[in-house]
Amino acid sequence: MLLGDNERFIIKCDVDLDPYPKDAPSMLLRNCIPTLIDLKKKKEAFYEINKGRSVIRLVDVKETTNDYRLLFQYANRDASDPAFANLKTGESRIAKKDEDEGLGATLHMVIDKHAKNDHFPNTYTAVIEEVPGITRALLSQALTAFFKHCGFTFKKPDGKKDLVCRPIVNIDFHASSTLEKTLSTGYLAGITAVRKVKEDSLDDEGHIRIDEEILKISTKFKRGEAALKAVKQAYDKLRGMGYGTMRITYKDSNRRTGSDSFSLNTERSLKELATAQLAQRDKAILATNIDVCQEEMHQELLGKMVNFLLK
């Protein structure tokens, strides 16, 4: 997915702070945020992956009356160098990374300061910017690593000494509907499949490479059970063709466009696809340009994320 200069997809998520060990008390988000601020000030708010070849770091964190706003930067040394092509001549060039550089991108995140339900004090609603490479799992791992420094302790009822505890962060989609329900009140707009390509180039020197193939699929079946069966047939066929991801685009009952990706790694029954939970997404159209790698928070995007959080 290429990121535009004036648009972003944003996703509503649930952020769970699960106590570790399991018998530890709840650790509230408001008590974790000071640690993030401190780590950022000390320039220690970073998390390394793949033996340091990829790094995600917290660039900024701000607190408002109702939410916390975070900006993450991700740099991947192993990502392919970006290629640019002349629109008129077709001539291309590749921008080479320096030795200590990685392909960079940033992601905005807004988290509600208050748990969405008093009975579940560990769960908070959030909105994240959809950025290729910066996954929910990666954000969860980074925040979990940062929160190890919170210094929380607890004492068991029969214990004599304080035990160290910490929150384990899990970020998951804030499910709004199922595919079956969406296609009964809305309609299927399209199916796209992505397949990674290895060692395939367009020139003899290998300077221009094909990284992935994208296949677009259409069907006359748009609604209800017929559309579900079409999705199932496409899912099975694409698995056999070696595609790794299938993205379904749909319009809900309010004619709002949404999309969700399905990994093709495992076999799924028609029922499993029908009951698959769809994420709550929105498209933010921006009047001011946004960079792939922002040096500071993009205020217009944050405003749209906050509005989406409140819906």
Side-chain angles (χ1 to χ4, degrees):
M1 180 182 70
L2 296 177
L3 297 177
D5 292 333
N6 294 93
E7 63 181 33
R8 286 293 187 270
F9 282 98
I10 51 181
I11 314 169
K12 190 171 289 190
C13 297
D14 291 330
V15 179
D16 292 315
L17 274 60
D18 298 325
Y20 180 83
K22 289 185 178 181
D23 54 354
S26 296
M27 285 158 272
L28 304 179
L29 182 61
R30 65 171 178 265
N31 295 328
C32 298
I33 292 298
T35 295
L36 288 185
I37 296 173
D38 185 54
L39 289 173
K40 185 237 173 200
K41 286 181 179 178
K42 295 189 295 185
K43 299 183 178 180
E44 296 176 1
F46 63 90
Y47 176 70
E48 296 184 345
I49 312 103
N50 299 329
K51 298 180 180 179
R53 296 191 65 80
S54 299
V55 177
I56 183 169
R57 58 172 33 87
L58 182 66
V59 177
D60 201 1
V61 54
K62 297 185 185 300
E63 178 180 356
T64 72
T65 304
N66 299 310
D67 56 60
Y68 301 109
R69 304 176 182 189
L70 289 70
L71 179 66
F72 292 91
Q73 180 200 74
Y74 177 60
N76 185 353
R77 182 73 184 88
D78 296 326
S80 300
D81 293 324
F84 301 91
N86 188 290
L87 297 178
K88 295 181 178 179
T89 67
E91 294 182 1
S92 63
R93 64 181 178 85
I94 295 177
K96 290 291 185 180
K97 299 184 291 287
D98 288 339
E99 182 61 30
D100 293 332
E101 289 183 326
L103 201 64
T106 49
L107 175 146
H108 293 76
M109 182 177 190
V110 178
I111 313 176
D112 198 323
K113 293 179 75 169
H114 308 286
K116 65 178 184 178
N117 190 318
D118 292 340
H119 297 291
F120 300 97
N122 301 330
T123 302
Y124 301 82
T125 305
V127 173
I128 62 174
E129 178 186 359
E130 189 174 21
V131 178
I134 311 182
T135 63
R136 290 175 290 109
L138 181 56
L139 289 173
S140 300
Q141 293 166 16
L143 288 171
T144 296
F146 298 157
F147 290 163
K148 285 175 63 176
H149 302 280
C150 286
F152 295 134
T153 60
F154 77 109
K155 186 178 292 184
K156 293 185 178 181
D158 56 349
K160 295 183 179 180
K161 63 177 182 179
D162 290 340
L163 301 176
V164 175
C165 60
R166 60 189 175 95
I168 304 295
V169 179
N170 288 294
I171 303 174
D172 206 350
F173 291 137
H174 184 85
S176 58
S177 183
T178 64
L179 182 59
E180 182 177 38
K181 182 178 179 181
T182 297
L183 295 184
S184 67
T185 57
Y187 64 90
L188 180 65
I191 300 173
T192 305
V194 178
R195 175 168 59 188
K196 295 295 183 182
V197 178
K198 295 182 179 179
E199 300 178 358
D200 200 348
S201 62
L202 297 178
D203 62 338
D204 295 335
E205 295 79 14
H207 293 158
I208 307 173
R209 296 178 300 176
I210 301 173
D211 292 327
E212 61 183 24
E213 293 179 349
I214 300 176
L215 181 68
K216 292 187 177 182
I217 303 167
S218 61
T219 173
K220 67 177 183 179
F221 302 112
K222 304 294 185 182
R223 302 177 185 273
E225 186 177 355
L228 277 174
K229 289 181 177 178
V231 170
K232 166 64 172 168
Q233 288 179 315
Y235 185 95
D236 293 340
K237 187 69 174 179
L238 292 168
R239 283 193 72 223
M241 295 170 65
Y243 284 87
T245 305
M246 181 177 78
R247 178 180 286 266
I248 297 173
T249 304
Y250 52 86
K251 285 189 179 288
D252 62 18
S253 56
N254 297 316
R255 301 190 64 80
R256 177 188 293 175
T257 300
S259 64
D260 255 284
S261 295
F262 294 85
S263 170
L264 298 173
N265 293 336
T266 58
E267 185 176 349
R268 293 179 188 236
S269 66
L270 179 61
K271 182 177 181 180
E272 287 173 327
L273 284 172
T275 56
Q277 296 289 314
L278 302 181
Q280 196 170 342
R281 280 182 170 86
D282 201 8
K283 187 176 185 179
I285 305 297
L286 306 171
T288 53
N289 282 10
I290 181 169
D291 295 329
V292 173
C293 201
Q294 286 277 133
E295 294 185 358
E296 58 186 24
M297 293 185 181
H298 192 281
Q299 297 303 319
E300 185 185 4
L301 176 61
L302 283 174
K304 292 181 180 293
M305 293 173 72
V306 170
N307 290 337
F308 188 48
L309 181 68
L310 299 176
K311 287 184 179 179

